[in-house]
């Protein structure tokens, strides 16, 4: 039976305290086991995603922007000032120049997305989520045991982008793309309540897998997940061109979404506050560019 969505307890890094976050949504999307939710399978298809995206791109949806900004206290002074043609256009808004900065210390890795973060020092085949013992294995996510081999036993960052967030993803370091593949079909929400009720949600979701060779953090398995009403992951940077730290990589078109980064064993470690709060099942709110990991050889 569906239940009222419950607020998530998060650690707010900037405020230095725990906060609660609530995003209202259709109850059956988040609370009911998907097989029992009427219409859930339809809403999890790319066709529904495209139709919903077309609707949100209609000019009359501009009227939804101001109420959403007020309800979730979004500071629009941080974003470029322009007239948005639709709600979907506003959803992919961009920061004003220099509103977010990446670390100048090459050993510090800046957050590639403005999101809620989990971090693990080591993530092996037997490692499990701190939420009802659901597992996230590199081989499953990357869909290729050989591709996953360099990351077994290595660190992992998992970030969840809320609908209130800036939905562009940036490169964490200088480097180049070694491999890229688009996987998955159905588009499920990536809220933690939904993850509890559908253990294979990250495996089923549309995702884009990138193997990145970086200058200071070694090889990374960089995976972008589409979620309910955000199945379109648009790569902004040509994948056959080298990239720079902080450069825009991709954008999620409307909705919630997630990113996972797998690292080679010993190459880097997640930031201390992520490691502290992850075992408690508490995500940490991190702004784009803020430090989320340190490279090998730093304390």
């Amino acid at each position: 039976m569906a239940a009222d969505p419950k607020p998530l307890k998060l650690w707010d890094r900037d405020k230095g305290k725990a906060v609660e976050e609530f995003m209202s949504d259709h109850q059956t999307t988040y609370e009911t086991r998907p097989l029992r939710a009427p219409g859930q399978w339809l809403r999890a298809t790319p066709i529904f995603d495209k139709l919903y995206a077309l609707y949100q791109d209609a000019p009359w949806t501009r009227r939804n922007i101001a109420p959403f900004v007020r309800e979730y206290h979004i500071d629009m002074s941080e974003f470029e000032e322009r007239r948005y043609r639709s709600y979907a256009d506003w959803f992919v808004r961009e920061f004003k120049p220099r509103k977010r900065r990446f670390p100048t210390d090459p050993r510090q890795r800046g957050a590639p997305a403005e999101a809620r973060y989990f971090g693990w020092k080591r993530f092996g085949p037997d490692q499990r989520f701190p939420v009802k013992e659901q597992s996230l294995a590199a081989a499953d996510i990357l869909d290729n045991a050989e591709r996953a081999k360099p990351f077994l036993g290595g660190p992992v960052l998992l970030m969840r982008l809320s609908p209130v967030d800036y939905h562009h993803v940036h490169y964490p370091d200088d480097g180049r793309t070694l491999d890229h593949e688009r996987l998955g079909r159905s588009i499920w929400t990536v809220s933690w309540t939904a993850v509890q009720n559908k253990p294979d949600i990250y495996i089923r979701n549309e995702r884009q897998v990138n193997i990145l060779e970086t200058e200071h953090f070694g090889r990374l398995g960089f995976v972008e997940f589409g979620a309910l009403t955000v199945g379109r992951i648009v790569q902004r940077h040509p994948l056959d061109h080298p990239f720079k730290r902080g450069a825009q990589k991709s954008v999620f078109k409307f909705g919630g979404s997630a990113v996972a980064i797998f690292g080679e064993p010993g190459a880097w470690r997640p930031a201390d506050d992520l490691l502290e709060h992850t075992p408690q099942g508490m995500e940490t709110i991190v702004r784009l560019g803020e430090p989320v990991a340190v490279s090998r050889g730093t304390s």
Side-chain angles (χ1 to χ4, degrees):
M1 180 179 295
D4 291 335
K6 298 178 180 179
L8 289 172
K9 190 175 182 180
L10 310 172
W11 183 260
D12 190 313
R13 176 185 279 184
D14 287 348
K15 295 179 180 178
K17 65 178 183 179
V19 298
E20 288 189 338
E21 178 181 73
F22 177 85
M23 287 298 301
S24 58
D25 209 296
H26 196 286
Q27 294 176 0
T28 56
T29 298
Y30 290 87
E31 297 289 334
T32 308
R33 292 184 181 275
L35 285 173
R36 301 176 183 174
Q40 177 71 325
W41 287 106
L42 174 62
R43 292 194 299 274
T45 62
I47 292 176
F48 176 85
D49 176 70
K50 290 177 181 177
L51 291 174
Y52 193 73
L54 286 173
Y55 169 77
Q56 292 295 351
D57 206 30
W60 61 79
T61 60
R62 285 198 303 264
R63 64 191 178 191
N64 298 328
I65 297 173
F68 192 89
V69 169
R70 286 195 300 269
E71 182 174 0
Y72 295 105
H73 309 289
I74 298 172
D75 184 1
M76 289 303 296
S77 69
E78 295 189 319
F79 297 93
E80 293 181 344
E81 297 178 9
R82 65 180 181 87
R83 178 177 171 81
Y84 297 100
R85 66 176 185 273
S86 65
Y87 188 81
D89 184 37
W90 172 81
F91 184 82
V92 294
R93 63 197 178 277
E94 299 201 38
F95 284 120
K96 291 177 180 177
R98 295 179 294 281
K99 280 295 181 180
R100 297 291 187 272
R101 297 177 184 272
F102 277 69
T104 56
D105 183 346
R107 300 168 300 174
Q108 292 276 350
R109 187 200 303 171
E114 189 131 332
R116 293 103 182 91
Y117 281 70
F118 277 142
W120 294 268
K121 282 185 182 178
R122 182 183 184 279
F123 202 89
D126 298 327
Q127 184 86 21
R128 296 189 179 276
F129 271 124
V131 181
K132 292 196 175 182
E133 299 185 346
Q134 304 303 338
S135 63
L136 174 66
D140 293 330
I141 296 298
L142 298 170
D143 202 44
N144 184 312
E146 195 64 29
R147 183 187 284 155
K149 189 179 296 183
F151 309 115
L152 294 178
V156 171
L157 291 177
L158 181 62
M159 55 212 81
R160 176 180 61 87
L161 286 72
S162 165
V164 303
D165 289 326
Y166 168 81
H167 263 67
H168 299 257
V169 178
H170 294 243
Y171 286 105
D173 196 20
D174 296 354
R176 61 193 180 98
T177 302
L178 302 179
D179 187 20
H180 172 80
E181 187 173 3
R182 181 177 177 177
L183 302 166
R185 295 182 63 187
S186 296
I187 302 164
W188 299 94
T189 174
V190 293
S191 77
W192 288 117
T193 310
V195 171
Q196 293 173 11
N197 287 330
K198 191 164 185 59
D200 62 352
I201 196 167
Y202 286 106
I203 301 169
R204 284 178 172 266
N205 267 18
E206 178 187 355
R207 62 201 187 279
Q208 296 201 17
V209 177
N210 306 265
I211 305 301
L212 309 181
E213 186 68 46
T214 65
E215 186 172 340
H216 301 101
F217 300 94
R219 188 166 296 190
L220 303 177
F222 197 106
V223 186
E224 296 143 311
F225 301 93
L228 194 67
T229 70
V230 67
R232 294 176 298 158
I233 305 168
V234 180
Q235 296 294 329
R236 288 285 181 85
H237 183 84
L239 296 174
D240 57 348
H241 291 188
F243 50 80
K244 291 291 185 181
R245 171 181 292 222
Q248 191 174 134
K249 180 186 184 298
S250 58
V251 60
F252 291 100
K253 294 286 190 174
F254 195 78
S257 44
V259 178
I261 300 179
F262 296 90
E264 298 172 297
W268 51 272
R269 68 189 297 272
D272 290 340
D273 57 349
L274 306 187
L275 295 175
E276 177 184 352
H277 297 113
T278 295
Q280 304 169 28
M282 187 185 300
E283 296 165 297
T284 298
I285 301 173
V286 181
R287 288 187 169 196
L288 177 72
E290 290 182 346
V292 290
V294 291
S295 66
R296 178 170 40 202
T298 60
S299 59

